């Protein structure tokens, strides 16, 4: 089962916790055991799993990404002017896969799933692919 989700970002760089949305899709599909893959089809956005208990973690990650990949750099050649967003998206990756057991995502106590915007604000989409165990 493939579900197309939409999301509206509000900042150039933003990490949005989408864990609850993924859990909701999982419940509605009545998947008790299997896998779920969350995929982002954009070259300037990504998906990651990280701590969702302390918002300072997101702040610190975005701050450090800006230091490593500054928005402006004299040697960037990409004519759209968003080379930093492509670098950030490639660093994070376009998907994450999570095990589903007894109807729950198998995540660590402090983990959440994030949609990562690096060239916003924009209207974006991401996909959730559910695979049920057949055993």
């Amino acid at each position: 089962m493939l579900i197309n989700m939409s999301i509206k970002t509000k900042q150039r760089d933003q990490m949005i916790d989408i864990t609850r949305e993924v859990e909701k899709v999982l419940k509605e599909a009545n998947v008790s055991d299997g896998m779920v893959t969350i995929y982002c089809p954009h070259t300037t956005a990504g998906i990651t799993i990280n701590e969702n208990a302390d918002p300072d973690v997101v702040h610190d990650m975005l701050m450090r990404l800006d230091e490593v990949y500054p928005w402006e750099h004299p040697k960037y050649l990409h004519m759209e002017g968003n080379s930093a967003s492509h670098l950030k998206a490639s660093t994070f990756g376009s998907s994450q896969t999570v095990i589903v057991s007894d109807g729950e995502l198998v995540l660590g106590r402090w983990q959440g799933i994030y949609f990562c915007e690096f060239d916003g604000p924009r209207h974006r989409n991401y996909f959730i692919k559910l695979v049920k165990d057949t055993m």
Side-chain angles (χ1 to χ4, degrees):
M1 176 181 298
L2 181 66
I3 295 92
N4 185 356
M5 305 291 287
S6 63
I7 191 166
K8 183 178 179 184
T9 64
K10 298 176 181 173
Q11 299 169 16
R12 183 180 72 199
D13 293 313
Q14 186 177 5
M15 293 174 63
I16 301 170
D17 189 343
I18 58 170
T19 310
R20 300 295 164 246
E21 287 77 8
V22 175
E23 290 173 336
K24 182 179 176 186
V25 166
L26 189 65
K27 299 284 186 225
E28 290 173 359
N30 199 28
V31 175
S32 58
D33 291 290
M35 306 284 272
V36 59
T37 297
I38 306 91
Y39 170 74
C40 172
H42 305 287
T43 60
T44 58
I47 303 290
T48 195
I49 295 174
N50 212 303
E51 181 176 331
N52 67 351
D54 181 352
D56 288 340
V57 171
V58 168
H59 170 271
D60 292 349
M61 290 177 69
L62 292 175
M63 177 194 65
R64 186 67 177 126
L65 282 169
D66 277 342
E67 292 171 359
V68 174
Y69 305 118
W71 193 253
E72 294 183 19
H73 190 283
K75 294 188 179 183
Y76 287 155
L77 297 177
H78 184 48
M79 68 178 164
E80 288 182 52
N82 61 351
S83 291
S85 61
H86 289 281
L87 291 162
K88 292 173 186 180
S90 288
T91 298
F92 273 61
S94 60
S95 67
Q96 292 289 321
T97 299
V98 181
I99 298 167
V100 177
S101 181
D102 294 325
E104 303 290 330
L105 296 171
V106 179
L107 291 169
R109 179 177 184 162
W110 308 113
Q111 287 184 316
I113 304 165
Y114 287 91
F115 181 92
C116 304
E117 174 65 73
F118 300 119
D119 197 21
R122 292 184 185 236
H123 290 277
R124 299 284 202 170
N125 65 325
Y126 61 95
F127 295 93
I128 299 173
K129 175 71 175 174
L130 301 170
V131 179
K132 293 182 183 183
D133 277 353
T134 57
M135 300 174 119

